[in-house]
Amino acid sequence: MILKPEEISSVIKKELEKYKTDIHMESTGRVLQIGDAIAKVYGLDDVMMGEVVEFPHEIFGMVFNLEEDSVGVIIFGVENPDHEIKEGDIVKRTGKVLEVPCGEELIGRVVGPIGNPIDDKGPINAKKFRKIEELSPSIVDREPVCEPLETGIKAIDAVIPIGKGQRELIIGDRQTGKTSIALDTIINQKGKNVYCIYVAIGQKLLSIVNVHETLKKHGAMDYTTIISASSRTTASSQYIAPFVGCSIAESLMYEGKDVLVVLDDLTKHAQSYRQLSLLMRRSPGREAYPGDVFYLHSRLLERGAKLKKELGAGSITILPIIETQAGDITSYIPTNVISITDGQIYLEADIFHSGVRPAINVGLSVSRVGSKAQTKAMRQVAGKLRLDIAQYRELESFIQFGADLDKISQKQIKRGEVMVEILKQGQFEPLDLSKQIFIIFCGINGILDDFNTDLIKIFEKELFKFLDDNAETIILQKEINTKKELSDNLKQKMLNILEHFKKGFLDKYASNNKTNQI
């Protein structure tokens, strides 16, 4: 049998056509070192900064450090990654940066540092995902902050107002009521179409459970998401949690919604970043923090914004919390964050221990947005409030030396005592706008100047009960809450109602033989 060359070539061509190959290429490396939830990996020469990489057992990490012959990877999602990963394990590139689930599916849920559900309510069927690091809205895309975000706390809404899109720092020593102010603000958003995200960074697990129970008790979990990066989690989880919170908030903001983000607290966030940086052998700076710790918080807080109408007019209001040591607001991290934010609410331990709650130091607290973030009605009644309290504080320190005061100074002292008593407020008792205006209106118009301070809180409680039980005052409250402005006619109505109520209040206490308290 003679084979022709053309027949052989045709057979070979047919066989080659039948042969199919599927070449799959992967970029891999190997673990050189593992410890403290940080892996040093060799061989990933073409990996991106911030890229997600995969370890065995479906454990994931993020590239945090690029070195000459290796990369540093922070590991998250596992409680003890050091036990699961060993030297020599293969590490694969994914070609993706870290994304987290976003959207309304997360509202009412408690999630972990990377958006994984931890509340036993089943999986989160999110339709959207968003990168944890996004550029903040440009100046062109923003509008001035001018719409109030009401906290329900008299001392804040009247003196240090917060607007939608603002970054207002809450700062003070431990156990001075910082978290309480944030929770009161969240509770007060009920029925106001403001979504809330509470990010717990390095807090005790029991504290986070208490926060959840408090919000649930007041019906606030219906519009709130809790992101838990407790003290049990690794430093990498605590580092990443606030960025995840801002990503979830941004997805809602770009849908035209208003969002409030509480970061509790950034002191522990900075400490977790310092820990990661030192383990990665980055150069330490002041107080052993890396040189870019300012940039860490600035790129996080700059994501708070009020978008213009063409982009949906959504907003992110951020309330970062910073813990000070012995009232020192001049240390490294507090001064950094103060310079980034649009004002601060300073809580002082001495004021707290004297029984004034919330323990706000009006002199050191400031809102750089100011009265633009107040309703006109609040501006009308609270315009002189800061001045009255500041003068009172000055005279109070002056009389400690036993100096005699003239009648005008005595009157200022009495007015200051009344206003300080009025601004006291119980925990988890936020007030709506009309009630705040009524009680502050009493103070600035001298209605309570002849009262003993012990009776002012009783008067306030009785007044609020009267306002809610009387048909005329219910209509008046609705008018204030709707119009958010006090006309001369409305002021006169309020004055008549308050004078009438005061007379009845004094008669009631006189009949109870309590006139000696007035």
Side-chain angles (χ1 to χ4, degrees), residues 438 441 447 466 472-473 476 488-503:
F438 258 102
F441 189 81
I447 292 171
F466 170 77
E472 183 186 353
T473 55
L476 203 61
D488 292 338
N489 183 41
L490 198 56
K491 285 180 186 176
Q492 192 57 51
K493 279 184 183 178
M494 288 173 65
L495 204 55
N496 293 340
I497 287 169
L498 290 169
E499 290 289 359
H500 171 72
F501 175 77
K502 179 183 176 182
K503 185 177 181 301

Side-chain angles (χ1 to χ4, degrees), residues 115-387:
N116 51 307
I118 56 173
D119 54 2
D120 298 326
K121 290 185 179 179
I124 296 170
N125 300 313
K127 299 178 181 67
K128 295 180 182 177
F129 287 80
R130 192 174 180 86
K131 296 173 186 174
I132 64 159
E133 293 254 21
E134 292 275 6
L135 287 175
S136 59
S138 67
I139 294 173
V140 178
D141 295 336
R142 298 175 184 240
E143 273 194 353
V145 176
C146 56
E147 189 180 346
L149 184 131
E150 293 165 3
T151 65
I153 302 168
K154 292 171 285 187
I156 295 176
D157 291 344
V159 185
I160 320 150
I162 299 171
K164 289 179 180 176
Q166 188 173 345
R167 292 78 48 89
E168 183 78 7
L169 172 64
I170 303 172
I171 185 169
D173 287 3
R174 66 184 301 273
Q175 299 297 320
T176 51
K178 301 184 297 298
T179 302
S180 295
I181 285 178
L183 294 183
D184 274 340
T185 305
I186 292 174
I187 291 166
N188 195 55
Q189 305 315 308
K190 191 172 185 178
K192 295 180 180 175
N193 294 321
V194 176
Y195 295 93
C196 302
I197 297 171
Y198 178 85
V199 185
I201 310 160
Q203 305 295 316
K204 291 178 183 175
L205 201 55
L206 179 61
S207 301
I208 300 171
V209 170
N210 289 339
V211 166
H212 177 253
E213 291 302 316
T214 300
L215 294 178
K216 192 175 177 182
K217 178 183 174 184
H218 292 88
M221 279 306 296
D222 295 340
Y223 51 87
T224 303
T225 301
I226 294 177
I227 298 173
S228 170
S230 71
S231 53
R232 289 186 181 182
T233 61
T234 59
S236 52
S237 295
Q238 293 175 36
Y239 159 74
I240 220 160
F243 291 99
V244 172
C246 285
S247 294
I248 295 169
E250 278 179 335
S251 72
L252 295 169
M253 176 181 71
Y254 283 108
E255 291 175 4
K257 298 178 174 66
D258 294 317
V259 191
L260 170 67
V261 179
V262 175
L263 304 176
D264 190 8
D265 66 71
L266 287 190
T267 308
K268 291 184 176 66
H269 183 236
Q271 289 167 358
S272 68
Y273 185 63
R274 176 172 63 182
Q275 181 180 332
L276 292 174
S277 298
L278 291 173
L279 288 167
M280 293 286 186
R281 300 189 179 278
R282 291 184 180 178
S283 299
R286 180 178 166 187
E287 295 180 25
Y289 287 103
D292 63 341
V293 72
F294 181 91
Y295 176 57
L296 168 76
H297 286 154
S298 66
R299 76 178 190 265
L300 178 68
L301 296 174
E302 282 300 319
R303 293 165 82 169
K306 170 69 176 172
L307 295 181
K308 60 184 183 181
K309 291 179 182 176
E310 291 83 353
L311 294 172
S315 70
I316 294 177
T317 308
I318 303 181
L319 297 181
I321 294 174
I322 288 285
E323 184 179 299
T324 55
Q325 301 293 327
D328 182 17
I329 62 172
T330 62
S331 59
Y332 191 33
I333 300 303
T335 50
N336 275 355
V337 181
I338 285 171
S339 66
I340 296 166
T341 51
D342 307 313
Q344 69 274 350
I345 298 166
Y346 178 56
L347 303 177
E348 194 171 326
D350 291 343
I351 296 175
F352 183 87
H353 295 310
S354 69
V356 178
R357 314 284 167 81
I360 297 172
N361 183 319
V362 176
L364 292 176
S365 301
V366 66
S367 172
R368 295 191 182 101
V369 175
S371 59
K372 288 182 180 178
Q374 276 180 320
T375 60
K376 191 171 181 181
M378 185 58 84
R379 282 201 303 270
Q380 287 172 294
V381 297
K384 285 183 62 185
L385 188 55
R386 178 185 279 272
L387 182 63

